[in-house]
Amino acid sequence: MTLTVPERLLRPHLIGIGGAGMSGIARILLARGAQVRGSDAKDSPAFLSLRAQGAEIMIGQRAENLGDPTAVVVSTAIKETNPEFAAARERGIPVLHRAQALAALMEGHRVACVAGTHGKTSTTSMLTVALQHCRLDPSFAIGGDLNESGANAHHGEGGIFVAEADESDGSFLNYSPSVAVVTNVEPDHLDHHGTVEAYVAVFDAFLERLVPGGLLVVCADDERAAALGDRATASGVRVVRYGRSATGSGDARVLGYEPSENGGMVRISLAGKETDVWVAVPGEHMAFNAVAALLAGLELGAPLDGLVEGLAAFTGVRRRFEFKGRSGDVRVYDDYAHHPTEVAAQLKAARHTAGRGRVVVVFQPHMYSRTKIFAGEFAEALGQADEVVVLDVYGAREEPEPGVTGALIAERIQGAGVHYEPAFDSATTLAADLLKPGDLLITMGAGDVTQLGPAILAELDRRTGEE
């Protein structure tokens, strides 16, 4: 399937080209023959492959970087005060949100969008790998790098486009999917949406973006997602459900889940037949994500057996319970979880993987608003671990808020050893001091806590070498 580049994206300039979403758009545009240039505040390993594909990338953001683009592409994180954004406005150059650019690249495809508060990246990745196993060569854009290919995006020839759909800023309302997956609807991103009601309402608006005759795949075990499915059915939309509560004739009812150290087996009843699906990543929540991907894949025309084989071959996404290494008898993982439900689910999975060893977590809260709203819920989730190191808040796009620190969470944790460490550089030593042979350490959060795993491994190796 050969597609041309939309005229407005023939010579795009991408501000923040190193970001997960932006770099994916750049990859697809380059594969289609666009002349891509962009800028970022600092260099990134992602630039090596983008430059190899032909992208022109400037470090530092200045008005003169723009050149003569057909459009400037920005994310929600880029403010209008950014010198390149401001220059584009001044010169009358069209400015597109990255979701608008991605929507333009979806034109001419059957589109599957995966939305939900949790599990978007993993479910999108599972669906992509399963379809690839079925030789359907989908285009895809994901908020993380697949372990299989090391890429977060690809221009495929199969006529299918699989994309992670971000509800955080409502930008997924730019897409028009044939298949929409909603894994769950749990309040988050209230800094943007304002209220729980507004957050729920944006999913209803997303549902209205389904093309006529499109399908909604929704989790029956999540209260708000199930309610979304009921509203969709009442409005005439085709809906299939998955989960233990799924009972419809076309649904995938989960009959059971058996965890193991390196994954788990989920048994489902689908179309009157029981099917076992092996998922080589730990956690029941991951197994549920695999069932959602299976249903979406069937709607896209892939065979059941091929999808099951493809899901069994899925090895994960970077920063989703990603194995970072081992020092002696200590294993170190890294995970992106930054909402209480995600933290709880991943620590439950970590417990199975740890076996008889302890679970030690280094947690970095993400954003001041989320920390303030969910401090108690974070504390409850983190209490599943044996030892917890809480770092200070990674503010992301937010300015510091007086009185909102990691201590809000640490002081509420019960049932685990608790250590509040506001000095990021000291966390490596503290974590190494806590670890014992057989332990499993997981660094967790959406910020730069991911840097600590390799540093802790190096510190453990250094200490072993001195013994």
Side-chain angles (χ1 to χ4, degrees):
M1 180 180 183
T2 302
L3 293 172
T4 58
V5 179
E7 186 173 350
R8 62 189 180 278
L9 291 174
L10 285 171
R11 298 189 314 278
H13 178 88
L14 281 61
I15 304 177
I17 193 171
M22 286 294 207
S23 61
I25 290 171
R27 291 182 199 283
I28 296 172
L29 283 166
L30 289 163
R32 293 198 192 176
Q35 299 175 38
V36 176
R37 61 189 289 149
S39 65
D40 216 309
K42 57 184 179 180
D43 211 341
S44 165
F47 296 160
L48 291 174
S49 61
L50 290 177
R51 286 182 172 126
Q53 285 184 267
E56 181 182 358
I57 302 175
M58 286 72 69
I59 305 303
Q61 296 178 333
R62 299 171 293 274
E64 54 266 30
N65 287 343
L66 289 185
D68 183 30
T70 51
V72 170
V73 183
V74 301
S75 69
T76 302
I78 304 300
K79 306 304 180 186
E80 293 194 18
T81 53
N82 178 284
E84 295 176 12
F85 195 147
R89 290 292 197 207
E90 184 177 339
R91 291 171 52 185
I93 300 170
V95 177
L96 302 177
H97 189 278
R98 71 180 181 192
Q100 293 174 304
L102 187 58
L105 295 175
M106 292 175 176
E107 293 175 3
H109 293 82
R110 291 190 69 197
V111 177
C113 285
V114 180
T117 313
H118 322 296
K120 293 185 290 293
T121 300
S122 295
T123 306
T124 310
S125 302
M126 288 175 174
L127 175 57
T128 296
V129 170
L131 292 174
Q132 289 174 329
H133 183 83
C134 295
R135 302 181 184 275
L136 294 179
D137 190 22
S139 296
F140 63 86
I142 305 172
D145 292 339
L146 291 174
N147 285 349
E148 284 75 10
S149 64
N152 62 346
H154 166 71
H155 167 62
E157 297 290 337
I160 294 172
F161 202 119
V162 179
E164 180 175 342
D166 184 10
E167 89 290 350
S168 66
D169 56 1
S171 61
F172 66 171
L173 300 182
N174 287 282
Y175 310 140
S176 297
S178 299
V179 183
V181 178
V182 176
T183 56
N184 39 62
V185 181
E186 189 169 346
D188 197 6
H189 305 292
L190 300 186
D191 58 310
H192 175 83
H193 295 285
T195 65
V196 173
E197 292 76 16
Y199 182 78
V200 171
V202 80
F203 283 92
D204 285 275
F206 175 61
L207 180 61
E208 294 175 3
R209 298 292 301 173
L210 265 176
V211 302
L215 177 73
L216 172 66
V217 178
V218 70
C219 182
D221 295 346
D222 179 83
E223 180 180 356
R224 291 186 178 90
L228 176 69
D230 292 342
R231 293 193 295 275
T233 299
S235 64
V237 174
R238 287 192 303 130
V239 180
V240 295
R241 298 166 174 82
Y242 64 95
R244 290 187 172 87
S245 304
T247 57
S249 58
D251 293 349
R253 185 181 179 190
V254 174
L255 302 175
Y257 173 73
E258 291 294 331
S260 72
E261 181 175 327
N262 298 310
M265 183 77 76
V266 59
R267 171 162 288 190
I268 62 172
S269 175
L270 180 63
K273 177 184 176 182
E274 292 188 6
T275 300
D276 289 332
V277 182
W278 167 256
V279 185
V281 285
E284 184 178 78
H285 61 299
M286 286 295 190
F288 273 56
N289 291 341
V291 177
L294 177 69
L295 291 173
L298 290 172
E299 176 67 12
L300 292 168
L304 176 62
D305 290 347
L307 290 168
V308 171
E309 291 175 1
L311 290 168
F314 175 76
T315 59
V317 185
R318 291 178 184 172
R319 295 231 60 210
R320 273 66 177 181
F321 204 62
E322 179 187 3
F323 180 65
K324 303 301 291 186
R326 181 191 294 268
S327 180
D329 198 25
V330 173
R331 289 168 289 169
V332 175
Y333 293 79
D334 181 49
D335 195 84
Y336 191 69
H338 56 281
H339 183 281
T341 300
E342 296 166 352
V343 171
Q346 205 55 73
L347 287 178
K348 182 179 179 181
R351 181 66 69 186
H352 286 295
T353 303
R356 295 182 179 180
R358 300 184 309 159
V359 174
V360 179
V361 59
V362 179
F363 178 70
Q364 183 185 53
H366 184 256
M367 298 178 59
Y368 297 97
S369 58
R370 186 183 285 121
T371 301
K372 183 178 180 179
I373 293 169
F374 295 119
E377 290 86 342
F378 276 123
E380 183 177 357
L382 290 165
Q384 295 183 58
D386 296 290
E387 296 281 354
V388 182
V389 177
V390 181
L391 306 179
D392 240 339
V393 180
Y394 184 87
R397 61 183 178 270
E398 293 183 341
E399 295 297 323
E401 185 174 341
V404 180
T405 69
L408 283 180
I409 296 172
E411 66 192 14
R412 290 171 167 81
I413 296 174
Q414 298 180 4
V418 182
H419 314 267
Y420 171 50
E421 181 49 77
F424 188 89
D425 292 343
S426 301
T428 297
T429 302
L430 175 56
D433 289 343
L434 292 171
L435 290 165
K436 301 176 181 179
D439 285 354
L440 182 153
L441 171 79
I442 181 167
T443 56
M444 187 175 285
D448 54 5
V449 66
T450 186
Q451 300 172 9
L452 289 181
I456 294 167
L457 283 167
E459 174 63 16
L460 292 173
D461 286 344
R462 185 189 66 79
R463 295 184 183 191
T464 300
E466 292 180 351
E467 292 178 355

